[in-house]
């Protein structure tokens, strides 16, 4: 996420400049925990996604395969035990922040921004665990310092949580 000179946050991997500043008529209005957004002049090529739990309206470009599930993390230990998290094409960033692809705000031992990522490589049909600098990430009880290929039923420890990796795209099974 990048903050423009006017204080707006936007995803610089999707936009080359702030979509809010470039479209002054785009505005958010929060009313009674619901979001009503003026979408008459939304940025071209974007889709509206309302996330009412967090009273946010997000505009993001549609990306080919962007929302296709490629696997899951299932929490076996920790504050979100029993919950599953979707892994999608490309980078799935993991952290406590609500803007993370996999958000785990309940585990205070996980950093807010990008504690680690799981990356799906569609060319090889592999998933990789990518730790961020200065964060403790364990794969099957071994400390991970560089991108490491994941295999079915691997155990990933982040903060006080342990997850099992379950791939959907594996072997001959892919979205291609």
């Amino acid at each position: 996420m990048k903050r423009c000179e006017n204080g707006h946050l936007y995803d610089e991997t999707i936009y080359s400049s702030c979509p809010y500043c470039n479209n002054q008529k785009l505005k958010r209005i929060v009313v009674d925990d619901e979001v009503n957004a003026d979408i008459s002049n939304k940025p071209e090529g974007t889709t509206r996604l309302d996330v009412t739990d967090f009273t946010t309206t997000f505009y993001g470009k549609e990306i080919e395969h962007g929302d296709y599930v490629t696997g899951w993390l299932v929490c076996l230990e920790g504050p979100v035990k029993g919950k599953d998290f979707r892994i999608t094409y490309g980078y799935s960033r993991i952290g406590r922040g609500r803007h993370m692809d996999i958000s785990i705000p309940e585990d205070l031992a996980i950093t807010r921004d990008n504690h680690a990522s799981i990356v799906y490589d569609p060319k090889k049909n592999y998933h990789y665990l990518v730790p961020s600098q200065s964060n403790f990430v364990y794969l099957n009880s071994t400390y991970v310092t560089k991108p490491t290929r994941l295999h079915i039923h691997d155990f990933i420890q982040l903060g006080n949580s342990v997850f099992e990796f379950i791939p959907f795209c594996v072997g001959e099974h892919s979205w291609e």
Side-chain angles (χ1 to χ4, degrees):
M1 299 298 280
K2 183 175 182 178
R3 187 177 301 275
C4 75
E5 59 189 33
N6 292 321
H8 302 125
L9 286 175
Y10 66 96
D11 188 340
E12 63 187 328
T13 63
I14 297 174
Y15 298 102
S16 59
S17 62
C18 178
Y20 301 100
C21 292
N22 292 336
N23 190 345
Q24 294 299 323
K25 292 184 181 179
L26 177 65
K27 56 187 172 187
R28 281 188 352 194
I29 305 168
V30 178
V31 180
D32 296 330
D33 291 334
E34 291 185 18
V35 175
N36 299 311
D38 176 2
I39 61 168
S40 59
N41 291 316
K42 68 183 179 95
E44 186 177 330
T46 64
T47 302
R48 176 180 173 169
L49 170 66
D50 286 326
V51 185
T52 56
D53 290 347
F54 309 113
T55 62
T56 303
T57 298
F58 169 77
Y59 289 93
K61 290 188 178 182
E62 292 184 35
I63 301 171
E64 184 179 339
H65 302 303
D67 290 332
Y68 286 20
V69 67
T70 64
W72 297 270
L73 289 181
V74 179
C75 187
L76 304 176
E77 296 177 26
V80 292
K81 181 178 179 178
K83 188 171 181 182
D84 67 309
F85 300 90
R86 289 178 52 159
I87 301 166
T88 57
Y89 258 65
Y91 280 81
S92 293
R93 298 170 302 148
I94 306 167
R96 280 194 344 263
R98 297 281 184 202
H99 60 284
M100 292 286 96
D101 303 303
I102 298 175
S103 177
I104 309 167
E106 299 86 353
D107 189 338
L108 299 179
I110 294 176
T111 57
R112 179 167 287 127
D113 294 315
N114 201 22
H115 191 99
S117 297
I118 295 185
V119 181
Y120 173 69
D121 178 355
K123 289 185 179 182
K124 293 184 178 178
N125 203 26
Y126 295 156
H127 291 83
Y128 296 91
L129 176 62
V130 181
S132 294
Q133 291 181 343
S134 305
N135 293 326
F136 288 101
V137 177
Y138 295 90
L139 178 61
N140 300 321
S141 300
T142 302
Y143 180 57
V144 179
T145 59
K146 61 183 180 180
T148 305
R149 184 174 168 204
L150 291 171
H151 300 278
I152 190 168
H153 303 300
D154 275 345
F155 296 99
I156 300 167
Q157 181 178 349
L158 307 170
N160 296 320
S161 300
V162 176
F163 302 89
E164 185 172 349
F165 170 69
I166 309 293
F168 178 73
C169 292
V170 64
E172 298 297 316
H173 198 249
S174 72
W175 290 110
E176 297 300 317

